[in-house]
Amino acid sequence: MSARAFMKRWIPTETIPIFVVVGGACGGAAWYLWRLANGSEVVWDRHGDWKPWDKIHQHQNTKMLTVTPEFWAKRKEQYPDGKRVVDAI
């Protein structure tokens, strides 16, 4: 039995788009969760630096999508040395 005959017999043709859409959605969700788990806000190491968000500078953008890149460029010009407002307190 060839692969084509197997597909015709066990998987109806009209269900292929459903499998593609659901598979793509599951793949996209897995990618997004993986990306969230590896982000700068998630702490996996309990013995190391438990406040990694303190390393983020004023001009550093950590978002996946930037709506206003001009804002971050202006912010980088304001703080060229990388000093944070938190350090001044």
Side-chain angles (χ1 to χ4, degrees), residues 41-60:
E41 291 99 13
V42 178
V43 180
W44 292 100
D45 183 18
R46 295 184 185 188
H47 303 290
D49 184 17
W50 62 282
K51 290 185 178 180
W53 50 86
D54 284 342
K55 296 178 187 174
I56 298 174
H57 298 286
Q58 290 288 331
H59 59 80
Q60 187 176 2

Side-chain angles (χ1 to χ4, degrees), residues 3-47:
R4 186 170 217 162
F6 176 78
M7 292 286 285
K8 267 191 170 183
R9 181 171 178 153
W10 293 104
I11 300 174
T13 308
E14 59 271 4
T15 60
I16 292 174
I18 295 171
F19 288 130
V20 170
V21 169
V22 170
C26 289
W31 171 79
Y32 185 68
L33 288 175
W34 177 79
R35 189 179 185 290
L36 282 178
N38 290 325
S40 60
E41 291 99 13
V42 178
V43 180
W44 292 100
D45 183 18
R46 295 184 185 188
H47 303 290

